[in-house]
Amino acid sequence: MTMEKPRSDIFPFLDRVTYLCLGDVVYSGSTRLMLDYFRSIGFACPEMENPLMYYLCLSTVDRRSRERFIESSSQIAALVERFRTDGAPFRRLVSVGLDTEPVDVQHRVPLTAYGSPGTFQTLTSLTRRHFQTTMSLNRHGFKHFASRLLLLPCYFLLLWVFYFGQTDYQQSFTTRSGLIFNALAGVSFLSIATVAWTYPCFRTRYYQESREGHYSGPLFQMAYLLYSLPLSLISVFSSTAIIFWGLQLAKSGLNTRQLLKYEEEGIAGEILVWARYSLILWSVYVFMEQQTVALLMVIRDSFTAATISVYLTVIYLLLGTSVMRAITGLPDWLYYLSFIIQSRYASAYLHEWQFKDKFEGLQSYTSAFKLRNCSSTNTSPSIGCRYTNGTHFLIERYHIKHPPYADDLNMEMNFGVSLAFTGIICVLNLILHTVPLPSFIKCKFRE
């Protein structure tokens, strides 16, 4: 019986198979031992491939270009020669009683050998394969592990080194605001770098396997989310713990009444504040990750995609964080444009939590490096006393009770909107993976 396109569900019913190319035998023997043979010579069938079709393609000359014709012809010639010298044990009709067996071969039947897997099984297999890529003990696995779990904590450790030991003076308002900006910029840029470094291998495999109908784009994206979200949670939460507790951010600037309330809430209250602080930065991390993933869908070069994502992020940080330029100083059209920028809400939440009703009556260094006491009646910038408290500092940067503008500071709203941006872009990416891409785009990832 001769077949041009053998289906995967007939695999268990074939005792013997022969692959020919231009009259030469690439393989002839037991169907079961075929998998072991090709695995032993370095051509293992991928887990979710139809083995009959996979090795048929391997035995076929590729005529799409001169280079591919020469390459595939040379490869097939090598396979024919290899079977001629090493294939004698496999020529027998059945596998029982073989005198020689491949050494150190562990055969695992692909998922499609006994029929197509279900959606849940495919999703589980894809997710597990992603985790195996990160946890594998080789150079490729270390690259994924280091970029996803070690890179961001190292950056926050550097922030802790630079900001450790800061004292509460008038000048520290800008310093603490800079810490917020550096935290937002760090999670944004390192998220982009991580995706640009690690995602292309997943993307290339997706385009190759989806072309053969193994799974759909949304299923691949869902598997990637199930893989990336837990790792990003671990990375961001461990990173924020370094500066949150290392710099005692929760206690900074509290007056006596606020400090008593803080001590009454105990460690449980502090952990809740840290969790919300971490979730804000995590939402920014995931948003930038998904933004870069969307760009990598259509841009093959990871450096180009990362560069575009970085340019967009710079705009977000300039317009939304109120550090490089205050929200109150933006023209109206830029002010209203900032409403569609996630970093605006993340930065507003962090600034309000850090400064509102805190840091009352901070002293100031004079030009002679002497301390000067500042009060609500003594706030001249010329003598270094610019802000009476943290709220005064926020008023300079955000609209607070400033008609006709609505108040920019609303912790619960800003917290919810920042997380909503992350959820929306994840859903959009799922939808984008359902849209058929032009063939000239998809062919870039099939080389």
Side-chain angles (χ1 to χ4, degrees), residues 122-300:
T122 304
L123 178 64
T124 304
S125 298
L126 286 173
T127 306
R128 186 172 64 247
R129 188 170 72 181
H130 291 343
F131 276 108
Q132 288 173 347
T133 301
T134 300
M135 303 303 173
S136 58
L137 299 178
N138 53 38
R139 182 177 61 86
H140 188 67
F142 177 76
K143 179 184 78 170
H144 281 254
F145 182 86
S147 59
R148 290 194 174 274
L149 293 175
L150 301 180
L151 187 60
L152 193 63
C154 289
Y155 172 78
F156 273 79
L157 185 62
L158 285 177
L159 288 184
W160 175 79
V161 170
F162 282 111
Y163 285 92
F164 181 75
Q166 63 176 331
T167 51
D168 292 334
Y169 299 110
Q170 286 282 321
Q171 291 76 9
S172 67
F173 282 110
T174 304
T175 303
R176 292 184 181 278
S177 181
L179 174 61
I180 293 173
F181 178 83
N182 288 327
L184 290 170
V187 297
S188 299
F189 293 134
L190 293 182
S191 175
I192 294 170
T194 297
V195 175
W197 200 18
T198 62
Y199 184 76
C201 65
F202 300 132
R203 175 196 61 186
T204 301
R205 197 164 188 177
Y206 155 67
Y207 278 112
Q208 292 173 345
E209 295 176 340
S210 64
R211 178 180 57 173
E212 299 168 0
H214 294 307
Y215 49 83
S216 61
L219 197 63
F220 165 75
Q221 177 64 10
M222 182 62 69
Y224 183 78
L225 286 174
L226 292 175
Y227 154 74
S228 66
L229 293 183
L231 295 181
S232 61
L233 271 173
I234 295 172
S235 179
V236 173
F237 273 62
S238 60
S239 300
T240 55
I242 296 173
I243 62 171
F244 187 86
W245 277 293
L247 300 178
Q248 294 293 310
L249 295 181
K251 294 182 180 180
S252 300
L254 298 180
N255 56 35
T256 304
R257 177 179 56 82
Q258 292 169 334
L259 193 58
L260 288 174
K261 182 180 178 181
Y262 169 80
E263 292 176 351
E264 288 176 0
E265 293 176 349
I267 187 64
E270 189 172 6
I271 290 176
L272 179 61
V273 174
W274 164 69
R276 290 171 65 92
Y277 184 93
S278 301
L279 280 173
I280 281 291
L281 293 177
W282 175 76
S283 68
V284 175
Y285 185 98
V286 176
F287 183 89
M288 297 306 168
E289 177 187 51
Q290 292 300 309
Q291 173 182 275
T292 310
V293 165
L295 291 171
L296 284 168
M297 282 183 61
V298 295
I299 302 175
R300 179 176 182 177

Side-chain angles (χ1 to χ4, degrees), residues 22-62:
L22 302 178
D24 294 319
V25 179
V26 177
Y27 175 84
S28 181
S30 169
T31 307
R32 299 290 181 173
L33 293 179
M34 173 187 72
L35 296 163
D36 289 334
Y37 168 73
F38 281 106
R39 186 189 296 270
S40 67
I41 63 173
F43 291 91
C45 179
E47 186 175 348
M48 300 189 68
E49 285 279 2
N50 173 5
L52 296 173
M53 196 65 193
Y54 180 78
Y55 292 120
L56 180 61
C57 293
L58 190 67
S59 307
T60 303
V61 176
D62 190 341

Side-chain angles (χ1 to χ4, degrees), residues 292-339:
T292 310
V293 165
L295 291 171
L296 284 168
M297 282 183 61
V298 295
I299 302 175
R300 179 176 182 177
D301 183 57
S302 57
F303 178 78
T304 303
T307 301
I308 295 173
S309 191
V310 165
Y311 279 137
L312 292 173
T313 304
V314 169
I315 296 174
Y316 303 158
L317 295 174
L318 289 176
L319 294 181
T321 59
S322 195
V323 175
M324 304 298 291
R325 183 168 183 177
I327 292 289
T328 55
L330 293 176
D332 282 350
W333 70 276
L334 281 179
Y335 170 74
Y336 291 112
L337 183 64
S338 70
F339 277 84

